[in-house]
Amino acid sequence: MLAGLFERLEATYGDLGWWPARDAFEVAVGAVLTQNTAWRNVERAMAGLTEAGLLDPAAMGDAPHETLAEAIRPAGYFNVKTRRLQALCAAWRAAGGAEGLAARETPSLRAYLLDIHGVGRETADDIVLYAFYRPVFVVDAYTYRILGRYGWLDDEPPYEGLRERLETTLAGTPQAYQHYHAYLVELGKEHCRPRPRCAECPVTDLCGKRGVAAGQG
DNA sequence: CTCCAGTGAA
DNA sequence: TTCACGGGAG
């Protein structure tokens, strides 16, 4: 019963205030910047972009590599992320901006985003869910780790299969999926870490692998 | 599987 | 000092 897990997480965390952004483009930029990067550092990079006047598809897309790289430096991987952001800008403009993208059906939107250099499945689904409010469960490393320990995963199902299975099981609204993903990230950071801290975990009584020796989970 | 890279907590 | 980070490409 996954529903029970998410009910408990909702009771524990409520609204975590995800995803802080002013518009769809800002969500997409944040999604690229946060790849394997702490959100704290993404906030600094976003501030750098605002300060440099680059938080805009045209300005960012036309900026010199060095200029953009310098602005996003705190987020790390600044050279690869600069190329990815500029690929994002090119695709964003070619699609007719946020309006053009919003006009697409969800499968078409996902496919279009996945075609962009630097936009993988999780980044695409972040954008689809948080920028365009489509009902998509964002699967990430936390999802595999938490649900695996929880005892809900058979072994290690492929991304798409797991995503569809979760969406079928939960049948949630976009808002529900926005919260669910935030809950798993929070739980994964605070308790269900690589080395689990089960002692103060809010869902330990529901977990199939509670009491597992810390070190290998 | 290996880079990419800065930042703060443990 | 190591570890971990709202991952993805080559």
Side-chain angles (χ1 to χ4, degrees):
Chain A
M1 278 299 278
L2 266 198
L5 171 63
F6 287 107
E7 282 176 25
R8 176 71 63 81
L9 291 172
E10 182 174 21
T12 302
Y13 295 123
D15 187 349
L16 291 171
W18 274 43
W19 180 298
R22 289 170 39 260
D23 55 36
F25 180 69
E26 203 171 299
V27 172
V29 170
V32 169
L33 290 176
T34 198
Q35 290 168 359
N36 202 40
T37 299
W39 187 256
R40 192 179 330 282
N41 297 331
V42 174
E43 291 180 315
R44 291 184 176 144
M46 296 293 295
L49 289 171
T50 301
E51 203 173 332
L54 296 175
L55 201 45
D56 164 88
M60 185 180 293
D62 295 337
H65 179 98
E66 303 299 331
T67 303
L68 183 51
E70 184 59 28
I72 67 169
R73 180 193 218 93
Y77 309 113
F78 48 82
N79 282 316
V80 292
K81 285 178 179 174
T82 291
R83 286 179 223 118
R84 291 176 186 182
L85 286 176
Q86 296 202 304
L88 173 72
C89 290
W92 200 269
R93 297 163 83 176
E99 287 183 43
L101 290 167
R104 291 173 179 263
E105 298 295 326
T106 300
S108 163
L109 177 60
R110 288 189 85 245
Y112 186 81
L113 293 172
L114 279 171
D115 222 39
I116 302 170
H117 172 86
V119 177
R121 292 171 301 193
E122 184 180 342
T123 302
D125 285 337
D126 279 338
I127 298 169
V128 168
L129 175 62
Y130 291 101
F132 295 101
Y133 312 103
R134 308 300 172 83
V136 164
F137 192 105
V138 178
V139 173
D140 62 357
Y142 292 118
T143 310
Y144 280 97
R145 191 163 78 207
I146 293 169
L147 296 185
R149 287 175 177 166
Y150 189 75
W152 198 75
L153 298 183
D154 306 324
D155 36 301
E156 182 148 323
Y159 184 99
E160 294 299 334
L162 177 56
R163 182 174 66 77
E164 289 172 11
R165 188 177 157 201
L166 284 165
E167 289 169 7
T168 300
T169 303
L170 295 167
T173 61
Q175 285 194 338
Y177 290 129
Q178 290 186 358
H179 288 158
Y180 294 167
H181 180 231
Y183 295 154
L184 293 184
V185 172
E186 188 64 18
L187 188 69
K189 280 161 56 172
E190 298 300 317
H191 301 98
C192 208
R193 301 160 64 95
R195 300 182 179 188
R197 297 181 180 177
C198 302
E200 298 172 27
C201 176
V203 296
T204 187
D205 59 304
L206 302 176
C207 185
K209 299 207 173 179
R210 62 184 180 281
V212 174
Q216 298 299 329

